[in-house]
Amino acid sequence: MLGSVETRSVSPVFVGRAGELSVLTDALTRAAGDAAASCGEPQALLVGGEAGVGKTRLIEELWAEARRRDAVVAVGGCVEIGADGLPFAPFSTALRALRRLMPEEMATAAAGHEQELARLLPELGEYPRGERSGDEDGELARLFELTTRLLERVAAERTVVLVLEDLHWADASTRHLIAYLTRTLRRGRLVFIATYRSDDVHRRHPLRPFLAELDRTRTVQRIELARFTRGEVHRQLVGILAAEPAPDMVDNVFDRSDGNAFFVEELARSLVADDPCGLPDSLRDILLVRVEALPESAQRAARVLAEGGSAVEYGLLLAVTGLAEDHLIEALRAGVEANILQPSSDGDGYRFRHSLAREAVSDDLLPPERSRLNRRYAQALEADPGLVRDDERAMRLATYWYHAHDPAKALPAVLDASVEARRRHAYSEQLRLLERAMELWDGASAEVRAALRPLDYAEAYPSHGRDPESPLRFLDLMAEATTAGRLSRERERALQIAKRGQRLAFAEQDPLSAAWFALQRSRLVSVLGRGDGWAELAEAKELVRGLPPSPVHAQILAEAASWYRIHTPGPESLAIAEQAVEYARMVGDERVELAARLSLGGLLVEAGHADEGLAEMHTVKERSVALNAHTLISSSYVNLPHALESVGRSQESVDVLLKGLEVAASYSLVGTEAWVLGNLAESYFVLGRWDEVEAAGERALLVAQSPKPRAWAATGLALLDLGRGDTASAARRLREAREYFGTKDPTPQSTVSLDRIEVAIAAAEGRVADARAEFTRVTADGFPPGTQRYAWPLLRVAATLEGDTRGLPAAEAGRAEVLDRIAALARTLPAADPIWMAYERWVRAEVRRARGEDRPEDWAEAGEAFEQTAHPFGLAMVRHRWAEALLSTDRARAGELLRQAHETAVRLGARPLVQDNALLAQRARIPLEPQSPATPAAACAGGDPSRGSAFGLTPREKDVLRLVAAGRSNRQIAESLYISPKTASVHVSNILAKLNVSGRGEAAAVAHRLRLFPLEETGV
C-alpha cells in the first residue's frame, strides 16, 4: 500500500527545465563577469508560465546556484489586496531584503538621496510630505533614475540577483519602473528577474502591452515554461512518493493534470490519502477538499487569510479572526502542516503556499462573507494602525473599506490613500484611487462630503479665491485626476477627464476652473500628437480675460509665451511674455515668473537684443538652481545654449551644455540629457568637432524619453552625414527626424531645418529640379521671424547648387527666377550677428558665382567675415571658392587658401570638400602638401593633372561619365561609344564605386561640381 510510503508535498528532485535553468545560470555568469573587471553586465529576464507550472521552483534552483557563487539574492512579490496592488510593493520588499543583507553597501549607494529613495524604502528616512515642489513632471523620472543608480552601485562589487514575483499583480508604477530599469541599466553585476502567470494575461490585461514593450527593447530575455511531459510527471511522482509509482497511476495523474506541476502534487496527495470520495475533477475542487479537511478553526483562519491579501500580518489575523491567540496558533499550525499555509518571507505573517489555493478559498466565499471580512479588516486597522507597515496602511485601509461596500467610510479612506500615492510619486495608483473616489462620490452622504476639504486632498490647481474651509468639490477630484493622469503618462484618460471637467466647470459657472482644464487639454493634445495645442490654449486665454490676476492666469500666459516663442516668435510674443512675468509677480508665483522670463529672454535674443536676452536667461538659470527647481533647471540648460548658438556663440553654448550634462546627472534629470546632447551635437558641428557630433547624437537617440529630442538628434546626424558626403545615410536620418517630429505640431525651426536638409540631399544627388521645387515650396511664404539660423544655411545650399550647375543646359531654365528669389529672401533676413553677417556675404558671393559675376573681392569679404567666427567648415568652403577666384591673379594666395581649406576638410572628414580641393589643385597644378625643392608641383597636387585622374578613372570611364553628366541612359551611352548596353552598365557601376556615390544623379552632380569636363562637353 502506498499509504505506508513516506510522501512529500514537493519533489526533492528538480524535474526537467534544464534548458531554462541553463539560460538563468548563463545570465548569472555574464552578470558576474570577469573577476578582474571593474563592473559586470546587467541581465534582465522574464519568466512566464501558467499558474502551478513551476516558476517558483525554477527560481529557487537559481537562488541555490547564486548562493553557491556567493551572490546576494533579494526577492520581492507583487502584493494583491482584493483586486489591487500596492504601489512599488515588490521593489520595497526586495530593497528591504538588500538593506538587511548588505547594510553598508546600501547606505553608501543611497547616500545623499535618502529622502527621495524613501518613497520606495521608507526605512531610509522620511520622504517629503509637504506641498508640491512644482516639478512633478520630472520627479517620477528622477526617482526611477535614482533607483537605477542605487542598484548599479550596490551591485558594483558583488553579484546581486533581484527577483520580483507575480508581475501579473503588479501596480502600474511598478511596471513603469521595471520598464525604465530594463532600458537604462548599463553597469553592475545585477541579474533582474520577474515572473508572471501567463494564463492571467488576457487580451485587456495591463501586463500585455507592457510585455510587448519589453520585447521591443531587446534587452530582456523571456522564458516561457511549458507543462511537463509524461516522463517528467513520472519523475516528479517518484520524487514526491519516494517510490516507483504504478504505470496506471502515472497515466491517471498525467491525464488529469495535463502536466501542470502543482496539479500533479495535489493529485498525488489525494491518491496517497485514498480519499473515499474519489478524485475530484478540478484542481480547485482538490484544493477546497484539502481545506475542508482542516479543523474548523483552521478553516476559519484560511478564509480570513484568503480575503486579506497575498500575505497578512499575524497581529492583524489575530484581530480579524477573533480567535484566542492559542487557538489561532493551533489553526495556523494545522494549515502549515497540511502544506496549505506557510509563514511569509519576512516571518511577520502568513500566506497560502500557492496563490491558486488562496484564490480557490476566496472564490468560495459568499458576497456577504467577503464584505463582512473586509469590514473587519478595516475596523481592526482603524483600531490599531500599527498592525501593518506605515507605507502600506493607507492603501490597505482604502481597499478594505471599498470592498466592504461602505461609501461613507470608503470615500475618505480612498482619498487618504490617493494623497499617499501622490507623495510616493505613484501617480498611476493615485489616478486609479481618484477614479474610485469619483465612483463613490454619489454613494456617500452629503454630510460625509461636506466634511472633506480640498486643502487635504486636492493640490492640482492653485486656489483662486475660494474659502479654504469650503467643502471638497467633485470638480476638485477631476482636476487632481487630470494631473495624476498626465504625470503617470495615462494621457488619454487624463484628456477625457479634462474634457469632462471643463464641461462641469462651465455648468458650475466657474470660468477660472474651465480655463485651467483648457490649459491641461492644450498640454495633453500637444504631447499626444493630436495638434499644437493652440486652440485649447487660446480658449484658456479667452476664459481668463477680464478676471482678476490669479496663479491660473499667470500659468496660462506663461504657457502662451512659450508657445509663441516656439511657433510664432515676434512682437506679439514679447508682449505676452512680459505680461506673463507681470502677472506671476502679482500673484507671487516665482516659478511661473521664471518660466515666463526664460521665454522672454529667448524672444529678446530672436528679436535682436542678444545681450539683454542672454543676461535674462542666465539669471533664470542661476535662480532655478538656487530654488532647486528641477523643471526650470532643465529648461534653462536646454534653452540658454540654444539661444547662444542662434547668435553664433558656439563655444559658450558648449560650455553651458557640458555643465548641463553634469547638472542633469547630479539632479537625475532624466529627460534633460537627450535635449542637451542634441544641442551639443549642433554646436560641435559648427565648431568642427565632428567625431563628437556623432557620439553626442547617437547617445541622444539612445537616452531620449520622447520623440522630439530624438528628432533633433537625427537632424544633427543628418547634417553630419551631408558634410561627410554620405547622402544615403543623411536621407535615412531625415526620414527618421520627420517621423519623430510628426505632422500635428510643426514649428518653424524644425520645418526650415528639415527642408534645408531635403534640398541639400537633392542637390548632392544631382536632382536639380527636385531641389529647386523643394526650395520654392518651402520659401513660398518667406521665413518666419526668428528662423535666420536655419534660413541662412538653406539659402546658401540653394545658391551653391545654382553656382555648381551653371552652364548645364538642363539646369538653365528657371535659374534666374531661383537666384532672384534667393536674393530677395536674403534681404528679409537679419544679419546683425557676426555668424549671419558671414553667411549673408557667402550667399551673396554664391549668387554672383551662379550668374558668372563673382570676383575675388566677394569671396574675400565672405572669408574675412568667417575668420571672425568659430565655423571652420564654413570657412573652409569659402576659402575653396576664394582660391578658385584668385587663380588668374594671385596663385600664391590661392595656393595658401586652398591648402588651408584642404587641411580643414581632411581633419573633418568632409569628403566632398576634400574632392573639390583635390580637383581644383590638380587643375591649377597647386600642391596641397608642403613642397620640397626636388618635388614637382604636379606630383604634390596629385599626379596626372588631367581631369578625373584623382578618382582613378580610365579614359573610357571618363567618356562614360561625361555622357552620364549629360543625362544619357545606358543605351544612349552605348550608341554614342559603339559599345553594348551591358558594357556601358559595367562602366557606370565602376564609376559609381570610384566616385563613392550611390547613383547616376549623384555622379553627375560630382562631375559638374568639380568641373571634370568643360561645359561644352556635357552639352552634347
Side-chain angles (χ1 to χ4, degrees), residues 484-498:
R486 178 171 60 82
L487 296 175
S488 66
R489 301 190 178 185
E490 299 279 354
R491 294 169 182 131
E492 287 287 358
R493 289 163 70 187
L495 183 59
Q496 294 305 314
I497 295 169

Side-chain angles (χ1 to χ4, degrees), residues 526-549:
S526 177
V527 172
L528 286 167
R530 306 283 179 76
D532 60 12
W534 176 246
E536 296 78 10
L537 190 54
E539 183 181 11
K541 278 184 64 188
E542 189 59 33
L543 284 167
V544 296
R545 188 187 300 277
L547 297 180

Side-chain angles (χ1 to χ4, degrees), residues 49-72:
E50 67 179 6
V53 80
K55 298 181 295 297
T56 299
R57 183 62 193 275
L58 174 65
I59 298 300
E60 286 174 349
E61 290 296 313
L62 177 68
W63 296 349
E65 177 61 25
R67 287 174 176 138
R68 281 193 292 272
R69 300 187 189 189
D70 196 33
V72 177

